[in-house]
Amino acid sequence: MSQAELPIRTVVERYDALVARGSIDRDPAQAALAARLDALNERLETADLAVKGSSLGWLFGRKTPKREPIRGLYIHGEVGRGKTMLMDLFFDLAHVKLKRRVHFHAFMADVQGRIHAARTAILEGRIKGDDPIAPVADAIAAETRLLCFDEFAVYDIADAMILGRLFTRLFEKGVVMVATSNVMPDRLYWDGLNRALFLPFIELLKTYVDVVRLSSATDYRLEKTDLDRSYLTPLGPDADMVLEEVWFRLTGHKRGARVVLPFRGRSIEVPQACGEAARFDFRDLCEKPLGAADYLEIAGHYGTIFVEHVPVMTAQNRNAAKRFINLIDALYDRHVRLVISAAAEPDRLWAGEDGVETFEFQRTASRLTEMRSVEYIAARKDAASTGG
């Protein structure tokens, strides 16, 4: 078997293969993080071999199946630095069988649902005690040894108030956490209601994870996505193919995962999400009852948004046109990077009669044109680096 045919076993090897293929450029900060992720994977494998008492157990010690705490990783940095890419490489290669990779908000929505079910079971006498969080944590720990979170961020007070108790028990049970985030731990739940009650969780987090800042000098999403391929027209197989290529070059994945964002007592569905990028069809965003607040919520979670199959709009789909106007306003205001496939150039997307929409669409067309420019991308990058 040639060297090129040898199976890839480590994050460093897979990272090197991506560099060799020209998919990414080598970055010292990324390479260093890849090595740290490999070291964590090795610690997990060694600890689990010791617990199992396998035929190699004598190498690692046979005593007791109790797991010693293993420090995870909390990886933070600006958008587009490769945090999610590296975590996903690690997750794919991790030897742990009980592993879960999930968007943090989806995880917390699942936790809140389990807590509600546990409270009901306590009231009905099916669970002893009066703490619904403990059985939920125990169930998660039984299912999961390695938890990988994308987009670790805390906005909701209900989440903030349970995280300390939940993760105290998860960490005690030996669950190892790896997370990506746009903010350092000390900035979590910043300006949140009753934040003082949340601060012990931050100290707990720093006790059980190593905090790593990924400070690559380049925004790889922008480097690998040419400006002239951010607005694709006309619609058809060629546009679809190019958009697929841009998505893959940006995320490293052919498809993203479905994510549900809890918002104001309801849910916003994201058909495909991968790290800091999300992908929608026009119908997902503009033919469903979504408003400006929903679009701002989406823009707050993702630095790059893909919108496919935008049609030419007329009075017959006026409501969809108004939502499209609100969508572009929200993405523009939040400096979100937009990759779009459309039936026509921006100034030809509205073909209705003169009226309010005609006037408003002039602004939309202007913004769509600006969002393709080097100046907009630079402004978006500056806003991301300052937390704007």
Side-chain angles (χ1 to χ4, degrees), residues 350 352-356 358:
W350 173 252
E353 66 277 8
D354 288 343
V356 175
T358 300

Side-chain angles (χ1 to χ4, degrees), residues 149-169:
F149 291 125
D150 195 27
E151 293 287 319
F152 197 104
V154 184
Y155 304 109
D156 188 277
I157 187 172
D159 292 344
M161 294 303 103
I162 67 171
L163 279 171
R165 293 163 60 200
L166 176 71
F167 275 89
T168 294
R169 199 164 181 98

